[in-house]
Every structure is written in structure tokens, then in C-alpha cells.
Amino acid sequence: MSAKLIDGIGLLYTGDPAREEIADAAMVVEDGRVVWTGPAAEAPEADEREDAAGRCVIPGFVDSHAHLVFAGDRTAEFDARMSGQPYTAGGIRTTVAATRAASDAELATHAAALLGEMRRQGTTTVEIKSGYGLSVEDERRSLEIASGLVDETTYLGAHVVPAGVDADDYVRLVAGEMLAACAPYAKWVDVFCERGAFDGDQTREILTAGIKAGLLPRVHANQLTEGPGVRIAVELGAASADHCTHLSDADVDALASSGTVATLLPGAEFSTRSPYPDARRLIDAGATVAIATDCNPGSSFTSSMPFCIALAVREMRMTPLEAIRAATYGGARALRREDVGVLRPGSRADYVTLDAPSYVHLAYRPGVPLVAAVSS
Ligand SMILES: [Zn+2]
């Protein structure tokens, strides 16, 4: 394959901490990889040339937290919530019933459609969780479908205890037979550690079993209450603690002094009309922060990273630079990936051309479709 020079880039946001922004830039890609970035005036020759016409180029967004394998709709629940009813973890069971009733083809088609939505909004790497099957076979097939669509798949049998099942029996199943059936299709293991879902001991038991089965841990932590999720995530060396809405000072310190990324999901707070996590506090303490959509039918039915960036800037006191960093480099760190979320020699040539002179427009012009082209 021939080398292509993308020239006339008004601003290249690389996501690479070593050289994060290059004005009047160019980039050369070959065989799906970036081979050169730098000032346009220094660009090497290439076989083909594409003119970005002064627009901003960024790495494709890395959406490190999404629940795309499901069926059904929770419009009525959202409508009720916006009419004053609070969000609880139990609404997940509504989606479980619909997901169990759906065919493999229906689930796969629906998940692929959501992935298409994400791509049109600039996302080129997506993590997909199970968690709406909650039986051995329904979790297994959810992950088989997810693994047919993306590389980053997460076993979330521990999303909620299904209706009519004893909690201790269910934890044994999730850490035993269900894990064995799901592990071949999953890279990660996750637990919704929350009041109304799984407590600290159950979370530790399930994650430890997952690690023994060769999976890497990540945790739904501290979303609704100041629970033990973040502590356990750090203790087990999880790649990411997700939500981080209610944190103690000790939680913030633990995240800042660990390799565990704090993944913030402002779509969930938006859609449940809840207080947002304090990104400023985490960043000032030195934690690595990611932003993801948490795309799911109950608490955050958005597939849009630009929307989440706008929320992060407006509602979580992140600067536009911190927000684009969290949506690219941060997401990649949350998935322990070095080849995405960044545009530097050797990385994947996953890039987005914005109809804008700067990534700042993602927050400055909220709700506007600024993604002109997606390459990956
Ligand atoms: Zn989630």
C-alpha cells in the first residue's frame, strides 16, 4: 500500500503527551499506521496527497465504556425520571428480559447499528460489555456477538442480580460456570459495585476469579454512593475505575498514585439528572482521567463522544484540552492500549477530520455535527 500525506492540517492534536499539538501540520500514513507527523513545511514526499484545508485533525475517540448488546427500549423510564422519579440500578432488569427474548441476529444488528452511530461521531475504538443476559447462555452469546464486532470485550455478568435469584448463588455462578463460558470471548472482567448491585466482598470475589481465568479487571465504581469500588479497583490493579462520581479524599489519592484510570461518564449524570463527578479534583490530584459514553438503554443512551466532551467541559470543569485528552489518550490508557487514542509514528492511523479549526469547537459548539471524516 502507498503512503498518503495529509497536508494542510490547521491544528493536529496528536494525543501524544510528548508533543500534543502541532499547528500547520501534516501527517503521513501507510498500511493503516501513522509513519510521520510534524510541521507541514517539513513533510516528506508521499505517493498520495490529501488536503485538510486548514481543519483540525484528532485521533479517533476511544470509547472505553459501552453496553451495546441489548434489546428493547426504556423511553418510558427516562420520561418518568425526567418527571421526577430517581434512578436506581434495578431498571437493568427490564433490558435483561428484552435481551433474553431477542435472537442473536437481532442483538448483533442492533449493536452494529450503534457502533455505526459512534463511528459517524468520530469514535474508532469501542469497548463493549455484556451484562443484559445474566444467565450462562445469554451472557456467553452476548460476548460472542460483541467479540465479532470489537476487540475490547468485557464480561459483566455481575451487572445486577437477576430477579428471583439468590444473591450468593448468583455470585457463585458469575465467578464459576458463567465465567468459564464467557472467558473465551472476553478480555476484561467488570463488576457493578454499588448498593443494590454487588457489595465489596462480592466484587472482590468475582474480579479475583476473573483474573484467575486470564481476564483483566475494571470496575463500575462509586457511581451512586461512596462505596468500596475504587479501593478494590486500585487494590487489584484494575485498568480503570468507571464513574467515580462519589469519591472520598482517600479514593482520589488512591487513583492518583496508581495506574488505575478514573473513567468519567457524564452522559449518565446528564441522563439521570444527577450531580457530575468532580474531574477538576481528580486532575489536580494527578489522576489519569478518561471520558466515555456509558452508552446503554437505561442511564445514558448517548453514543456521542463529542457530547460527552462538551459535558465534561461545561459541567465537570475540564478544560477543552483536558477533555479531548481524556476522550483519546485517556480512553486508550483505560484499555491499556498504546496504539490508539494517539497519532504518532507506529500508532494506528485512526483519525478524525473536524469541520473546525480546533478541537475546542467540540465544546464551544455543542450538539453541532463537526465530524467531517473518519479514517481507520
Ligand atoms: Zn456502565
Side-chain angles (χ1 to χ4, degrees), residues 1-4 28-35 47 347 349:
M1 199 181 141
S2 59
K4 181 164 85 172
V28 179
V29 302
E30 187 170 12
D31 291 333
R33 296 275 160 179
V34 174
V35 295
D47 308 302
S347 70

Side-chain angles (χ1 to χ4, degrees), residues 17-372:
R19 194 186 199 188
E20 209 167 8
E21 296 184 38
I22 307 171
D24 300 318
M27 176 168 73
V28 179
V29 302
E30 187 170 12
D31 291 333
R33 296 275 160 179
V34 174
V35 295
W36 186 89
T37 61
E42 297 169 20
E45 294 291 314
D47 308 302
E48 283 177 71
R49 183 173 174 276
E50 180 184 305
D51 184 4
R55 292 180 293 190
C56 180
V57 170
I58 61 174
F61 298 121
V62 179
D63 191 346
S64 62
H65 186 136
H67 306 250
L68 303 189
V69 184
F70 66 88
D73 174 86
R74 280 155 67 186
T75 309
E77 181 187 313
F78 177 79
D79 192 14
R81 197 161 62 234
M82 290 304 109
S83 309
Q85 294 171 24
Y87 172 65
T88 58
I92 292 166
R93 295 187 183 100
T94 311
T95 301
V96 171
T99 303
R100 286 177 175 174
S103 69
D104 289 4
E106 285 166 343
L107 293 175
T109 301
H110 186 231
L114 289 169
L115 274 179
E117 256 183 37
M118 289 173 154
R119 184 178 169 87
R120 290 195 294 280
Q121 297 169 93
T123 301
T124 51
T125 302
V126 180
E127 179 260 20
I128 299 182
K129 301 173 193 300
S130 67
Y132 292 119
L134 307 188
S135 70
V136 173
E137 176 50 22
D138 287 305
E139 283 296 297
R140 191 205 62 76
R141 73 182 182 120
S142 294
L143 281 161
E144 187 177 13
I145 290 163
S147 67
L149 296 168
V150 298
D151 294 332
E152 304 294 339
T153 55
T154 301
Y155 168 48
L156 181 62
H159 201 182
V160 71
V161 178
V165 177
D166 175 75
D168 291 336
D169 289 347
Y170 189 65
V171 170
R172 264 193 295 280
L173 183 73
V174 169
E177 187 189 344
M178 190 186 284
L179 170 63
C182 291
Y185 304 100
K187 173 176 173 183
W188 304 94
V189 57
D190 192 349
V191 175
F192 188 11
C193 182
E194 189 59 62
R195 199 175 295 164
F198 298 86
D199 69 19
D201 289 342
Q202 293 167 332
T203 299
R204 199 177 275 104
E205 182 181 337
I206 293 162
L207 292 177
T208 304
I211 293 165
K212 271 198 195 117
L215 305 183
L216 302 168
R218 47 201 315 108
V219 187
H220 277 70
N222 302 49
Q223 177 185 1
L224 306 174
T225 54
E226 203 181 286
V230 164
R231 272 200 310 282
I232 294 168
V234 171
E235 178 191 312
L236 295 180
S240 179
D242 296 45
H243 286 290
C244 292
T245 309
H246 298 273
L247 300 179
S248 68
D249 289 344
D251 291 328
V252 173
D253 289 347
L255 286 164
S257 56
S258 74
T260 301
V261 174
T263 299
L264 310 181
L265 310 166
E269 279 77 30
F270 177 87
S271 301
T272 58
R273 202 176 267 155
S274 302
Y276 289 88
D278 189 347
R280 189 76 269 133
R281 183 179 174 211
L282 285 160
I283 293 168
D284 289 348
T288 300
V289 170
I291 297 170
T293 62
D294 193 15
C295 183
N296 79 82
S299 60
S300 183
F301 201 9
T302 181
S303 52
S304 174
M305 289 294 278
F307 174 64
C308 292
I309 286 171
L311 287 180
V313 171
R314 174 62 181 82
E315 304 290 348
M316 304 199 303
R317 298 192 295 147
M318 292 173 78
T319 66
L321 175 60
E322 287 165 347
I324 183 82
R325 184 187 294 150
T328 55
Y329 173 82
R333 295 311 309 143
L335 294 172
R336 298 261 163 93
R337 292 279 296 268
E338 302 283 347
D339 60 333
V340 297
V342 62
L343 295 170
R344 65 181 166 212
S347 70
R348 288 177 58 100
D350 296 350
Y351 63 96
V352 173
T353 307
L354 298 176
D355 254 333
S358 163
Y359 58 80
V360 178
H361 278 225
L362 293 166
Y364 174 46
R365 307 199 64 211
V368 177
L370 296 176
V371 173

